[in-house]
């Protein structure tokens, strides 16, 4: 789903300053942090096309500075996003791996209120093009893949609006995603992403490099309902280099953002797919909007299911 991937917000002050105010431009990133908390290392089997959908509802009643305190009075940002992801695994092995390509197309609805001024945008977000090499152990306990997500500035963007669903720059995000099933009742999963951004040519703003770790633990408690699972999940996000504008570090602290989140999740598996409902509360937020998220995720094969 998209540094946004679901979701790309560019939150701007309306005040006299022309600079975006917070960590990475608008206090966000292309990769939708917190999205990968279930079966992160699993890809479609060779010859299968899979559809995955991601629905995100986020309420951010505050935006923070580098000390974690409220940076702006009367701030509220609401995000509704729906992302459609298509993954296809080619029936051609590359040594022990298989090659998978993917595309994520997000639709984003943003509603921003800052000090009595309102900004709104409902449009396409930036597309995410995915290329992975995946591995599955013979005992089907260990799954992982690694590769590159490339976010393309195809979403709506205008310098005359307070907020945009597109970012107007490219992001290259290498990542590795792992799932381990020590037994049929347990799943441990994690996804590690890093983002490298180009410069927004409309304002010469360059968002710093960041890293994110999504994680999830699932337990299936009922023998008579083996497809049902409960668990805990969340993420750790940290920006590791400064934002700059026209080559100058954005004061006072390079707008380096961070946030952590945790919450429960429920899942129900179907063959080569399933349903997920989860909640995330954000903590230790700096230079970013702060709030909570609800996700609903769904996956199913379109064609290529093994007989």
């Amino acid at each position: 789903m998209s540094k946004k991937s679901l979701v790309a917000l560019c939150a701007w002050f309306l005040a006299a300053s022309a600079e975006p105010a917070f960590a990475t431009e608008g206090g966000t990133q292309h990769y939708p942090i917190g999205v990968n908390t279930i079966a992160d290392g699993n890809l479609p089997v060779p010859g299968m096309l899979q559809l995955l959908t991601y629905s995100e509802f986020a309420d951010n009643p505050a935006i923070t500075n580098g000390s974690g305190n409220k940076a702006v009075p009367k701030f509220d940002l609401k995000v509704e996003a729906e992302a459609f992801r298509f993954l296809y695994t080619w029936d051609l092995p590359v040594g022990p791996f298989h090659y998978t390509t993917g595309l994520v197309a997000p639709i984003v609805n943003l509603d921003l209120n800052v000090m009595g001024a309102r900004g709104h945008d409902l449009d396409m977000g930036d597309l995410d093009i995915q290329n992975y090499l995946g591995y599955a152990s013979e005992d089907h306990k260990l799954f992982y893949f690694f590769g590159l997500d490339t976010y393309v500035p195809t979403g709506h963007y205008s310098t005359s609006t307070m907020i945009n669903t597109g970012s107007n720059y490219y992001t290259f995000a290498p990542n590795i995603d792992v799932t381990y099933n020590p037994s049929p009742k347990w799943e441990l999963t994690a996804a590690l992403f890093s983002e490298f951004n180009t410069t927004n040519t409309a304002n010469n703003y360059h968002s710093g490099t960041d890293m994110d770790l999504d994680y999830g633990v699932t337990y299936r408690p009922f023998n008579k309902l083996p497809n049902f699972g409960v668990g805990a999940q969340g993420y750790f996000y940290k920006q590791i280099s400064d934002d700059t504008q026209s080559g100058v570090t954005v004061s006072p602290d390079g707008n380096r953002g961070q946030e952590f989140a945790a919450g429960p999740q429920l899942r129900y598996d179907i063959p080569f797919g399933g349903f997920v409902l989860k909640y995330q509360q954000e903590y230790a937020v700096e230079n970013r909007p702060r709030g909570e998220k609800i996700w609903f995720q769904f996956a199913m094969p379109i064609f290529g299911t093994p007989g």
Side-chain angles (χ1 to χ4, degrees):
M1 247 179 331
S2 264
K3 167 199 182 175
K4 300 164 255 218
S5 151
L6 286 184
V7 185
L9 338 164
C10 291
W12 292 72
F13 275 118
L14 274 190
S17 172
E19 293 185 72
F22 307 103
T24 56
E25 190 169 354
T28 186
Q29 71 298 313
H30 261 126
Y31 172 68
I33 57 177
V35 68
N36 282 313
T37 63
I38 292 282
D40 294 347
N42 296 74
L43 290 170
V45 298
M48 177 185 289
L49 176 66
Q50 188 179 45
L51 168 67
L52 304 95
T53 67
Y54 307 86
S55 304
E56 180 190 5
F57 308 91
D59 184 20
N60 301 276
I63 193 161
T64 62
N65 57 23
S67 300
N69 300 316
K70 285 187 177 182
V72 182
K74 299 180 181 179
F75 176 95
D76 185 69
L77 172 63
K78 290 181 170 56
V79 179
E80 299 172 352
E82 185 71 28
F84 301 89
R85 183 187 190 190
F86 299 90
L87 287 173
Y88 180 74
T89 299
W90 298 86
D91 195 6
L92 179 65
V94 183
F97 306 106
H98 278 88
Y99 175 50
T100 299
T101 53
L103 177 69
V104 181
I107 302 172
V108 187
N109 183 34
L110 304 174
D111 196 358
L112 173 67
N113 287 277
V114 182
M115 296 179 290
R118 181 173 183 262
H120 177 260
D121 196 12
L122 169 59
D123 214 310
M124 294 294 297
D126 293 341
L127 292 176
D128 175 15
I129 300 170
Q130 303 175 325
N131 290 276
Y132 304 132
L133 289 176
Y135 172 84
S137 64
E138 291 186 5
D139 60 7
H140 295 286
K141 289 187 175 182
L142 176 64
F143 301 85
Y144 69 83
F145 66 85
F146 56 92
L148 182 70
D149 283 41
T150 302
Y151 296 89
V152 182
T154 53
H156 174 254
Y157 183 86
S158 172
T159 57
S160 63
T161 57
M162 285 179 63
I163 195 164
N164 293 286
T165 60
S167 295
N168 200 43
Y169 57 84
Y170 290 85
T171 296
F172 303 96
N175 58 92
I176 182 168
D177 307 69
V178 181
T179 295
Y180 178 58
N181 301 292
S183 75
K185 283 186 171 292
W186 286 96
E187 177 187 284
L188 310 175
T189 195
L192 180 64
F193 269 73
S194 186
E195 294 185 313
F196 300 87
N197 306 300
T198 64
T199 300
N200 183 341
T201 56
N203 54 17
N204 293 317
Y205 198 98
H206 185 262
S207 296
T209 300
D210 57 31
M211 298 191 71
D212 175 73
L213 175 67
D214 292 351
Y215 66 89
V217 179
T218 295
Y219 177 65
R220 298 174 176 87
F222 306 118
N223 292 332
K224 292 184 178 181
L225 198 58
N227 292 347
F228 175 74
V230 298
Q233 47 74 38
Y235 57 85
F236 301 91
Y237 170 87
K238 187 76 173 179
Q239 186 177 338
I240 59 176
S241 69
D242 292 341
D243 288 2
T244 61
Q245 188 161 34
S246 300
V248 179
T249 298
V250 176
S251 62
D253 56 5
N255 284 341
R256 294 197 185 197
Q258 75 166 33
E259 68 181 65
F260 312 122
Q265 66 182 4
L266 303 174
R267 67 186 286 180
Y268 188 84
D269 299 328
I270 63 174
F272 303 100
F275 303 84
V276 179
L277 178 65
K278 62 190 183 186
Y279 169 80
Q280 295 169 343
Q281 176 65 55
E282 297 169 350
Y283 303 96
V285 181
E286 296 179 3
N287 284 324
R288 295 171 61 82
R290 181 180 64 211
E292 56 189 357
K293 301 174 185 175
I294 296 174
W295 295 87
F296 178 73
Q297 300 172 203
F298 169 68
M300 63 170 287
I302 297 177
F303 64 76
T305 304

